[in-house]
Amino acid sequence: MTQSLNALFSPETSPHPADLQPFRLLCDSLFFYALPHRSTPLPGKPEQQEQQELWAGYTPVRLSGEEQARFQSLAQELKGHEAEFHGGLLASLSAGHGDRDEASVGALISSLRSGKKAASPQKAENEALWQAMLILKLAEMYREEEREITQGFMAISGKEAELFAAIRGEETEEGEVDEEEEQALRELAAAAALSGPAINLARLARAWGRLYTRDARAAEFPLLVTTHEELQGLLAEAYETLTGRLPRQLVSLALPTQAQRAEEYPALVEKFRADTGASREHFNRVLLGVAASGTISAERLTELQRAGNDLNRAALPFLKNSPTEKAMRFYAYEGTSLIDLFARLGSLAEPQKATAATGLLAVLS
């Protein structure tokens, strides 16, 4: 019987579609966290799905109407204080600071600086969740700003290229595009980055973990996927602390890069899934078997590696016309759930005994 491979994206909220698309080559359904907004769905209810149900976002933690309005207000005011928060204030956030009755970011900053303590453990936990959501919201803002800067850089570079071509007398026919020049511009745009420090991934992962450990649907996703290689290192440290062992690297899949034009990518996904259907379904079935077991036998590991090799062979035709390829590496945290790992990462729980399940992480790089 065919089983569906459902995955959850980490540690970002509301990621850009380009970050999600490569995982659609393998996963049957893909989800991510969306922070509260004016039309926030209830926990467990996916929001409006995009790109013909290729992925869906939902809010994992329920907020009351009053709390949601407060978060929206804080997030709105945060836009005027990014530099102050990003410059180091977020690094000082802890579960013991803050006041849930604060009405603005300015007041929140003042309370953080004064070091006020929460009145009760429950209030401290609620404030810690609130602070985690603000960190994730700030990260969203900076990613959006980076995309806007990259798009502006592309536009300026394109104009520069046209001017230089005109100076050299190399004007092309209308609508004609030099592929090498276009690729060079893409590479330059990819290298463009914001000045100043980037948001620390460890802090971002701990903030995301606050939502994950309170998500009633978390157990529905046997696989966590990410584009951040550093996340594997963070979870490996948490796993070693809990078990005294290192995670296993299971298998690596070679996948075609994104199509040259974004609008062409859905067709690439559809063709890839159709042409690799049998081998992909076999690989997913074996992978789900690994996730459901508390221990990984040598026979199961061998079967998974064979299934991965078969899928890589089926994907070869798609790699011929791709200038580069992406590798999806799978890691297993044998006998330990991903919820326990994120709880440990955020110092939210005591070490747990081995479970009859194995957490799986796929890193795309």
Side-chain angles (χ1 to χ4, degrees), residues 283-297:
F283 177 83
N284 287 355
R285 185 167 60 253
V286 179
L287 187 67
L288 287 170
V290 171
S293 61
T295 58
I296 306 174
S297 65

Side-chain angles (χ1 to χ4, degrees), residues 32 87 126 143 149 158 242 255 267 282 288 304 309 315-316 320 335:
F32 59 87
N126 290 339
R143 287 196 302 274
I149 288 176
L242 286 171
L255 301 174
H282 180 218
L288 287 170
L304 180 65
N309 290 336
L316 280 176
K320 291 180 180 178

